[in-house]
Amino acid sequence: MSLRTEAFRDNPRKLAILYGPLVLATDVGEGGPFPVIVADPGAILGAIEPVAGKPLTFQGSPKVFRTMGAADDPAVPLTPFYRHHTKPILVYWDVLDDSQWKARQEAQQAQWAKERELQRRTADKVLIGNEPSEREHGLRGEKTGAGEFGGRNWRHAIEGGWFSYDLKVPADKPAEIGCTYWGSDVGEREFDILVDGVKIATQKLQRNRPDVFFDETYAIPADLTKGKAKVTVRFQALPGKWAGGVFGCRTLARPGD
């Protein structure tokens, strides 16, 4: 029994950590950010130590096992995969050099800044696939269902079906709808987006942004929100096609308002 790493055949900088035949894993928070390894691949095993008095339990040095945004990086616990049952876990590790880690930090900081600005502009938001939130937002639909992918929930409608939510709009301000999609979705996914029965956009999902989630915004004509506290946003599949999957839906004040 000894520590070792096993990399992907097509990517030597993505690997699993094993102790003998046992794959080691660590618990992670829902949605990340997830820890990564910042080191030369040959230095990884030297950064892992057994925890005294705890069989089959190891810890990775915070100098090598790093988590974005952590103020005081703790040692990362590593225990056998079979012990993990209730929380999201990390099994396969990205191995970065210092320049890649810096670039990832900068990208993450930019993403957090974008999310803060999005939150500032948000008038209302439905948590897709969350029963209490969807019920609170008046979910209705036909031929619709929900599921999970990539740590996020989605909803879609098949074969010409539809679904809708009631969402608050910003008072006396130009408004938008913001939606999140999976950029690798393909197939007959083409649908209209309607506000109080009026079509404001048509969206087609055909590998728009491969392998990443992406956001689209749709301006709501002012006459559709004037004097209203909320509107009904409907995702209507074109005949024989699908609407979604939609991973996020919110109403926003337009930038600058």
Side-chain angles (χ1 to χ4, degrees):
M1 298 287 283
S2 60
L3 285 168
R4 60 190 175 92
T5 62
E6 189 167 315
F8 284 25
R9 289 183 180 179
D10 62 346
N11 183 2
R13 300 194 74 88
K14 196 170 188 74
L15 51 79
I17 300 169
L18 298 90
Y19 181 61
L22 301 175
V23 176
L24 302 181
T26 191
D27 290 334
V28 294
E30 190 75 47
F34 305 129
V36 299
I37 294 172
V38 184
D40 181 272
I44 295 172
L45 297 183
I48 302 172
E49 297 180 346
V51 176
K54 294 185 177 181
L56 302 180
T57 301
F58 301 84
Q59 61 182 18
S61 166
K63 293 181 179 180
V64 169
F65 291 76
R66 303 184 192 176
T67 303
M68 200 81 65
D72 297 309
D73 287 336
V76 173
L78 298 165
T79 52
F81 175 82
Y82 69 80
R83 291 183 181 174
H84 297 262
H85 304 287
T86 60
K87 297 180 180 179
I89 61 172
L90 181 64
V91 174
Y92 299 110
W93 297 82
D94 289 330
V95 181
L96 311 179
D97 60 29
D98 287 333
S99 63
Q100 291 170 324
W101 171 243
K102 183 179 179 181
R104 185 170 291 198
Q105 285 180 305
E106 291 171 350
Q108 184 63 69
Q109 292 294 340
Q111 179 62 30
W112 283 335
K114 177 183 175 183
E115 290 173 359
R116 288 193 296 269
E117 173 62 12
L118 199 62
Q119 188 61 38
R120 185 190 68 79
R121 292 169 49 209
T122 297
D124 199 4
K125 175 183 177 181
V126 59
L127 302 178
I128 302 292
N130 178 286
E131 184 176 349
S133 181
E134 290 192 317
R135 183 171 59 248
E136 178 185 344
H137 289 88
L139 170 66
R140 297 177 293 279
E142 296 177 358
K143 299 181 181 179
T144 182
E148 185 272 338
F149 172 79
R152 304 191 190 193
N153 294 327
W154 52 260
R155 178 168 291 281
H156 69 197
I158 65 173
E159 299 174 348
W162 62 275
F163 58 97
S164 69
Y165 300 108
D166 299 328
L167 291 163
K168 299 173 185 176
V169 291
D172 301 319
K173 291 182 178 180
E176 297 177 335
I177 298 167
C179 296
T180 302
Y181 306 107
W182 172 238
S184 289
D185 266 340
V186 294
E188 299 296 314
R189 299 179 184 273
E190 192 169 2
F191 50 97
D192 291 334
I193 299 168
L194 302 94
V195 173
D196 285 349
V198 178
K199 183 175 78 171
I200 65 166
T202 298
Q203 179 69 54
K204 185 174 183 177
L205 300 179
Q206 192 69 31
R207 289 187 62 81
N208 306 57
R209 295 274 304 278
D211 301 326
V212 297
F213 291 99
F214 74 101
D215 298 321
E216 291 282 3
T217 56
Y218 313 96
I220 305 176
D223 61 328
L224 295 180
T225 60
K226 186 176 181 180
K228 298 178 182 178
K230 64 173 61 176
V231 296
T232 297
V233 178
R234 175 165 168 154
F235 299 88
Q236 173 67 62
L238 298 188
K241 299 191 177 183
W242 293 26
V246 178
F247 287 79
C249 182
R250 65 178 78 204
T251 46
L252 303 154
R254 291 192 198 173
D257 291 309

